PDB file of all heavy atoms in Angstrom:
ATOM      1  N   ASP A 168      89.737  89.026  38.134  1.00 98.00           N
ATOM      2  CA  ASP A 168      88.534  89.489  38.837  1.00 98.00           C
ATOM      3  C   ASP A 168      88.197  88.611  40.054  1.00 98.00           C
ATOM      4  O   ASP A 168      88.406  89.002  41.182  1.00 98.00           O
ATOM      5  CB  ASP A 168      87.360  89.527  37.879  1.00 98.00           C
ATOM      6  CG  ASP A 168      86.112  90.216  38.450  1.00 98.00           C
ATOM      7  OD1 ASP A 168      86.196  90.631  39.644  1.00 98.00           O
ATOM      8  OD2 ASP A 168      85.159  90.398  37.716  1.00 98.00           O
ATOM      9  N   SER A 169      87.742  87.359  39.809  1.00 98.00           N
ATOM     10  CA  SER A 169      87.068  86.663  40.901  1.00 98.00           C
ATOM     11  C   SER A 169      87.971  86.207  42.036  1.00 98.00           C
ATOM     12  O   SER A 169      87.514  86.018  43.190  1.00 98.00           O
ATOM     13  CB  SER A 169      86.298  85.454  40.379  1.00 98.00           C
ATOM     14  OG  SER A 169      87.172  84.544  39.754  1.00 98.00           O
ATOM     15  N   VAL A 171      90.279  87.905  43.428  1.00 98.00           N
ATOM     16  CA  VAL A 171      90.662  89.090  44.261  1.00 98.00           C
ATOM     17  C   VAL A 171      89.441  89.784  44.822  1.00 98.00           C
ATOM     18  O   VAL A 171      88.506  89.983  44.137  1.00 98.00           O
ATOM     19  CB  VAL A 171      91.441  90.091  43.361  1.00 98.00           C
ATOM     20  CG1 VAL A 171      91.890  91.366  44.170  1.00 98.00           C
ATOM     21  CG2 VAL A 171      92.649  89.445  42.720  1.00 98.00           C
ATOM     22  N   GLY A 172      89.482  90.062  46.104  1.00 98.00           N
ATOM     23  CA  GLY A 172      88.350  90.909  46.652  1.00 98.00           C
ATOM     24  C   GLY A 172      87.442  90.237  47.608  1.00 98.00           C
ATOM     25  O   GLY A 172      86.614  90.863  48.269  1.00 98.00           O
ATOM     26  N   GLY A 173      87.548  88.863  47.728  1.00 98.00           N
ATOM     27  CA  GLY A 173      86.834  88.215  48.819  1.00 98.00           C
ATOM     28  C   GLY A 173      85.427  87.899  48.647  1.00 98.00           C
ATOM     29  O   GLY A 173      84.756  87.509  49.572  1.00 98.00           O
ATOM     30  N   LYS A 174      84.835  88.158  47.405  1.00 98.00           N
ATOM     31  CA  LYS A 174      83.443  87.769  47.254  1.00 98.00           C
ATOM     32  C   LYS A 174      83.390  86.285  46.983  1.00 98.00           C
ATOM     33  O   LYS A 174      84.108  85.784  46.114  1.00 98.00           O
ATOM     34  CB  LYS A 174      82.817  88.453  46.082  1.00 98.00           C
ATOM     35  CG  LYS A 174      82.311  89.907  46.343  1.00 98.00           C
ATOM     36  CD  LYS A 174      81.530  90.336  45.177  1.00 98.00           C
ATOM     37  CE  LYS A 174      81.022  91.835  45.391  1.00 98.00           C
ATOM     38  NZ  LYS A 174      80.333  92.318  44.259  1.00 98.00           N
ATOM     39  N   PHE A 189      81.576  87.495  52.374  1.00 98.00           N
ATOM     40  CA  PHE A 189      82.854  88.127  52.027  1.00 98.00           C
ATOM     41  C   PHE A 189      83.891  87.355  52.853  1.00 98.00           C
ATOM     42  O   PHE A 189      83.742  87.304  54.098  1.00 98.00           O
ATOM     43  CB  PHE A 189      82.818  89.618  52.447  1.00 98.00           C
ATOM     44  CG  PHE A 189      82.041  90.500  51.507  1.00 98.00           C
ATOM     45  CD1 PHE A 189      80.783  90.799  51.786  1.00 98.00           C
ATOM     46  CD2 PHE A 189      82.651  91.030  50.391  1.00 98.00           C
ATOM     47  CE1 PHE A 189      79.999  91.614  50.946  1.00 98.00           C
ATOM     48  CE2 PHE A 189      81.944  91.815  49.530  1.00 98.00           C
ATOM     49  CZ  PHE A 189      80.624  92.172  49.830  1.00 98.00           C
ATOM     50  N   GLU A 216      86.272  90.875  31.184  1.00 98.00           N
ATOM     51  CA  GLU A 216      86.487  91.537  32.536  1.00 98.00           C
ATOM     52  C   GLU A 216      87.722  92.468  32.509  1.00 98.00           C
ATOM     53  O   GLU A 216      87.781  93.424  33.238  1.00 98.00           O
ATOM     54  CB  GLU A 216      86.617  90.499  33.614  1.00 98.00           C
ATOM     55  CG  GLU A 216      85.456  89.484  33.769  1.00 98.00           C
ATOM     56  CD  GLU A 216      84.291  90.022  34.571  1.00 98.00           C
ATOM     57  OE1 GLU A 216      84.255  91.205  34.897  1.00 98.00           O
ATOM     58  OE2 GLU A 216      83.302  89.201  34.769  1.00 98.00           O
ATOM     59  N   LYS A 219      86.529  95.599  30.998  1.00 98.00           N
ATOM     60  CA  LYS A 219      85.655  96.256  31.949  1.00 98.00           C
ATOM     61  C   LYS A 219      86.488  97.355  32.742  1.00 98.00           C
ATOM     62  O   LYS A 219      85.899  98.401  32.972  1.00 98.00           O
ATOM     63  CB  LYS A 219      85.116  95.157  32.889  1.00 98.00           C
ATOM     64  CG  LYS A 219      84.171  95.708  33.930  1.00 98.00           C
ATOM     65  CD  LYS A 219      83.687  94.603  34.854  1.00 98.00           C
ATOM     66  CE  LYS A 219      84.790  94.258  35.916  1.00 98.00           C
ATOM     67  NZ  LYS A 219      84.363  93.283  36.882  1.00 98.00           N
ATOM     68  N   TYR A 220      87.699  97.005  33.139  1.00 98.00           N
ATOM     69  CA  TYR A 220      88.445  97.969  33.988  1.00 98.00           C
ATOM     70  C   TYR A 220      88.695  99.202  33.172  1.00 98.00           C
ATOM     71  O   TYR A 220      88.609 100.356  33.672  1.00 98.00           O
ATOM     72  CB  TYR A 220      89.730  97.338  34.447  1.00 98.00           C
ATOM     73  CG  TYR A 220      89.470  96.218  35.435  1.00 98.00           C
ATOM     74  CD1 TYR A 220      89.604  94.919  35.079  1.00 98.00           C
ATOM     75  CD2 TYR A 220      89.134  96.522  36.769  1.00 98.00           C
ATOM     76  CE1 TYR A 220      89.338  93.875  35.988  1.00 98.00           C
ATOM     77  CE2 TYR A 220      88.888  95.489  37.709  1.00 98.00           C
ATOM     78  CZ  TYR A 220      88.999  94.183  37.250  1.00 98.00           C
ATOM     79  OH  TYR A 220      88.755  93.163  38.172  1.00 98.00           O
ATOM     80  N   LYS A 258      91.324  96.580  40.652  1.00 98.00           N
ATOM     81  CA  LYS A 258      90.389  95.914  41.546  1.00 98.00           C
ATOM     82  C   LYS A 258      90.847  96.093  42.993  1.00 98.00           C
ATOM     83  O   LYS A 258      90.058  96.324  43.881  1.00 98.00           O
ATOM     84  CB  LYS A 258      90.215  94.457  41.182  1.00 98.00           C
ATOM     85  CG  LYS A 258      89.276  93.734  42.133  1.00 98.00           C
ATOM     86  CD  LYS A 258      88.435  92.695  41.528  1.00 98.00           C
ATOM     87  CE  LYS A 258      87.354  92.233  42.545  1.00 98.00           C
ATOM     88  NZ  LYS A 258      86.605  91.079  42.045  1.00 98.00           N
ATOM     89  N   ILE A 261      90.078  99.463  44.378  1.00 98.00           N
ATOM     90  CA  ILE A 261      88.616  99.665  44.635  1.00 98.00           C
ATOM     91  C   ILE A 261      88.195  98.882  45.882  1.00 98.00           C
ATOM     92  O   ILE A 261      87.461  99.330  46.767  1.00 98.00           O
ATOM     93  CB  ILE A 261      87.745  99.281  43.395  1.00 98.00           C
ATOM     94  CG1 ILE A 261      87.983 100.279  42.270  1.00 98.00           C
ATOM     95  CG2 ILE A 261      86.338  99.133  43.718  1.00 98.00           C
ATOM     96  CD1 ILE A 261      87.406  99.889  40.898  1.00 98.00           C
ATOM     97  N   VAL A 262      88.646  97.644  45.972  1.00 98.00           N
ATOM     98  CA  VAL A 262      88.335  96.773  47.108  1.00 98.00           C
ATOM     99  C   VAL A 262      88.842  97.326  48.408  1.00 98.00           C
ATOM    100  O   VAL A 262      88.181  97.312  49.476  1.00 98.00           O
ATOM    101  CB  VAL A 262      88.849  95.333  46.901  1.00 98.00           C
ATOM    102  CG1 VAL A 262      88.727  94.474  48.139  1.00 98.00           C
ATOM    103  CG2 VAL A 262      88.021  94.649  45.735  1.00 98.00           C
ATOM    104  N   ASP A 265      86.470 100.016  49.422  1.00 98.00           N
ATOM    105  CA  ASP A 265      85.039  99.741  49.614  1.00 98.00           C
ATOM    106  C   ASP A 265      84.853  98.223  49.584  1.00 98.00           C
ATOM    107  O   ASP A 265      84.185  97.641  48.684  1.00 98.00           O
ATOM    108  CB  ASP A 265      84.237 100.424  48.511  1.00 98.00           C
ATOM    109  CG  ASP A 265      82.739 100.092  48.601  1.00 98.00           C
ATOM    110  OD1 ASP A 265      82.284  99.846  49.662  1.00 98.00           O
ATOM    111  OD2 ASP A 265      82.120 100.182  47.522  1.00 98.00           O
ATOM    112  N   GLU A 266      85.371  97.552  50.641  1.00 98.00           N
ATOM    113  CA  GLU A 266      85.376  96.097  50.616  1.00 98.00           C
ATOM    114  C   GLU A 266      83.956  95.524  50.485  1.00 98.00           C
ATOM    115  O   GLU A 266      83.754  94.527  49.789  1.00 98.00           O
ATOM    116  CB  GLU A 266      86.028  95.599  51.928  1.00 98.00           C
ATOM    117  CG  GLU A 266      86.136  94.084  51.963  1.00 98.00           C
ATOM    118  CD  GLU A 266      86.695  93.586  53.319  1.00 98.00           C
ATOM    119  OE1 GLU A 266      86.899  94.415  54.232  1.00 98.00           O
ATOM    120  OE2 GLU A 266      86.944  92.424  53.348  1.00 98.00           O
ATOM    121  N   GLU A 268      81.163  96.755  49.272  1.00 96.00           N
ATOM    122  CA  GLU A 268      80.340  97.298  48.229  1.00 96.00           C
ATOM    123  C   GLU A 268      79.280  98.265  48.762  1.00 96.00           C
ATOM    124  O   GLU A 268      78.089  98.168  48.370  1.00 96.00           O
ATOM    125  CB  GLU A 268      79.700  96.159  47.410  1.00 96.00           C
ATOM    126  CG  GLU A 268      79.223  96.615  45.969  1.00 96.00           C
ATOM    127  CD  GLU A 268      78.812  95.521  45.066  1.00 96.00           C
ATOM    128  OE1 GLU A 268      79.576  94.586  44.920  1.00 96.00           O
ATOM    129  OE2 GLU A 268      77.675  95.541  44.601  1.00 96.00           O
ATOM    130  N   ARG A 272      82.655 100.040  44.916  1.00 97.00           N
ATOM    131  CA  ARG A 272      82.930  98.682  44.381  1.00 97.00           C
ATOM    132  C   ARG A 272      81.867  98.256  43.350  1.00 97.00           C
ATOM    133  O   ARG A 272      82.106  97.455  42.501  1.00 97.00           O
ATOM    134  CB  ARG A 272      82.996  97.673  45.554  1.00 97.00           C
ATOM    135  CG  ARG A 272      83.312  96.279  45.021  1.00 97.00           C
ATOM    136  CD  ARG A 272      83.789  95.361  46.176  1.00 97.00           C
ATOM    137  NE  ARG A 272      84.076  93.998  45.560  1.00 97.00           N
ATOM    138  CZ  ARG A 272      84.617  93.008  46.202  1.00 97.00           C
ATOM    139  NH1 ARG A 272      84.963  93.186  47.494  1.00 97.00           N
ATOM    140  NH2 ARG A 272      84.859  91.920  45.606  1.00 97.00           N
ATOM    141  N   ALA A 273      80.665  98.854  43.497  1.00 97.00           N
ATOM    142  CA  ALA A 273      79.591  98.491  42.577  1.00 97.00           C
ATOM    143  C   ALA A 273      80.014  98.761  41.108  1.00 97.00           C
ATOM    144  O   ALA A 273      79.457  98.137  40.220  1.00 97.00           O
ATOM    145  CB  ALA A 273      78.311  99.234  42.955  1.00 97.00           C
ATOM    146  N   LEU A 274      80.963  99.689  40.913  1.00 98.00           N
ATOM    147  CA  LEU A 274      81.411  99.956  39.523  1.00 98.00           C
ATOM    148  C   LEU A 274      81.892  98.672  38.854  1.00 98.00           C
ATOM    149  O   LEU A 274      81.835  98.567  37.629  1.00 98.00           O
ATOM    150  CB  LEU A 274      82.530 100.994  39.524  1.00 98.00           C
ATOM    151  CG  LEU A 274      82.156 102.400  39.985  1.00 98.00           C
ATOM    152  CD1 LEU A 274      83.390 103.244  40.030  1.00 98.00           C
ATOM    153  CD2 LEU A 274      81.062 102.968  39.094  1.00 98.00           C
ATOM    154  N   LEU A 275      82.420  97.709  39.628  1.00 98.00           N
ATOM    155  CA  LEU A 275      82.939  96.451  39.097  1.00 98.00           C
ATOM    156  C   LEU A 275      81.807  95.656  38.497  1.00 98.00           C
ATOM    157  O   LEU A 275      82.066  94.671  37.803  1.00 98.00           O
ATOM    158  CB  LEU A 275      83.680  95.683  40.135  1.00 98.00           C
ATOM    159  CG  LEU A 275      84.918  96.224  40.770  1.00 98.00           C
ATOM    160  CD1 LEU A 275      85.394  95.480  41.971  1.00 98.00           C
ATOM    161  CD2 LEU A 275      86.015  96.347  39.716  1.00 98.00           C
ATOM    162  N   ASN A 276      80.542  96.061  38.702  1.00 97.00           N
ATOM    163  CA  ASN A 276      79.398  95.364  38.164  1.00 97.00           C
ATOM    164  C   ASN A 276      78.994  95.945  36.871  1.00 97.00           C
ATOM    165  O   ASN A 276      77.923  95.561  36.326  1.00 97.00           O
ATOM    166  CB  ASN A 276      78.232  95.409  39.174  1.00 97.00           C
ATOM    167  CG  ASN A 276      78.549  94.656  40.456  1.00 97.00           C
ATOM    168  OD1 ASN A 276      79.245  93.683  40.428  1.00 97.00           O
ATOM    169  ND2 ASN A 276      78.035  95.240  41.574  1.00 97.00           N
ATOM    170  N   LEU A 277      79.850  96.714  36.211  1.00 98.00           N
ATOM    171  CA  LEU A 277      79.489  97.258  34.859  1.00 98.00           C
ATOM    172  C   LEU A 277      79.127  96.081  33.953  1.00 98.00           C
ATOM    173  O   LEU A 277      79.913  95.098  33.883  1.00 98.00           O
ATOM    174  CB  LEU A 277      80.690  98.029  34.309  1.00 98.00           C
ATOM    175  CG  LEU A 277      80.549  98.526  32.840  1.00 98.00           C
ATOM    176  CD1 LEU A 277      79.458  99.568  32.747  1.00 98.00           C
ATOM    177  CD2 LEU A 277      81.866  99.162  32.346  1.00 98.00           C
ATOM    178  N   HIS A 279      76.913  93.899  34.416  1.00 95.00           N
ATOM    179  CA  HIS A 279      76.511  92.673  35.078  1.00 95.00           C
ATOM    180  C   HIS A 279      74.971  92.549  35.210  1.00 95.00           C
ATOM    181  O   HIS A 279      74.430  91.476  35.245  1.00 95.00           O
ATOM    182  CB  HIS A 279      77.175  92.540  36.465  1.00 95.00           C
ATOM    183  CG  HIS A 279      78.565  92.063  36.396  1.00 95.00           C
ATOM    184  ND1 HIS A 279      79.526  92.738  35.682  1.00 95.00           N
ATOM    185  CD2 HIS A 279      79.192  91.027  36.898  1.00 95.00           C
ATOM    186  CE1 HIS A 279      80.686  92.081  35.788  1.00 95.00           C
ATOM    187  NE2 HIS A 279      80.520  91.067  36.533  1.00 95.00           N
ATOM    188  N   HIS A 297      79.863  83.431  31.569  1.00 94.00           N
ATOM    189  CA  HIS A 297      79.690  84.602  32.313  1.00 94.00           C
ATOM    190  C   HIS A 297      80.339  85.840  31.666  1.00 94.00           C
ATOM    191  O   HIS A 297      79.758  86.914  31.566  1.00 94.00           O
ATOM    192  CB  HIS A 297      80.291  84.368  33.760  1.00 94.00           C
ATOM    193  CG  HIS A 297      80.241  85.613  34.615  1.00 94.00           C
ATOM    194  ND1 HIS A 297      79.041  86.158  35.074  1.00 94.00           N
ATOM    195  CD2 HIS A 297      81.257  86.378  35.035  1.00 94.00           C
ATOM    196  CE1 HIS A 297      79.355  87.212  35.786  1.00 94.00           C
ATOM    197  NE2 HIS A 297      80.704  87.384  35.827  1.00 94.00           N
TER     198      HIS A 297
HETATM  199  N1  LIG B1624      83.186  91.068  40.441  1.00 73.31           N
HETATM  200  C1  LIG B1624      82.655  92.149  41.214  1.00 73.31           C
HETATM  201  C2  LIG B1624      83.297  92.369  42.557  1.00 73.31           C
HETATM  202  O1  LIG B1624      84.243  91.654  42.940  1.00 73.31           O
HETATM  203  O2  LIG B1624      82.898  93.269  43.216  1.00 73.31           O
END
Side-chain angles (χ1 to χ4, degrees):
D168 191 356
S169 61
V171 181
K174 277 190 181 177
F189 285 95
E216 303 278 8
K219 181 184 80 177
Y220 293 102
K258 180 146 189 184
I261 290 171
V262 167
D265 179 23
E266 183 184 6
E268 201 171 306
R272 183 165 180 170
L274 294 177
L275 297 171
N276 297 325
L277 176 63
H279 283 58
H297 176 69

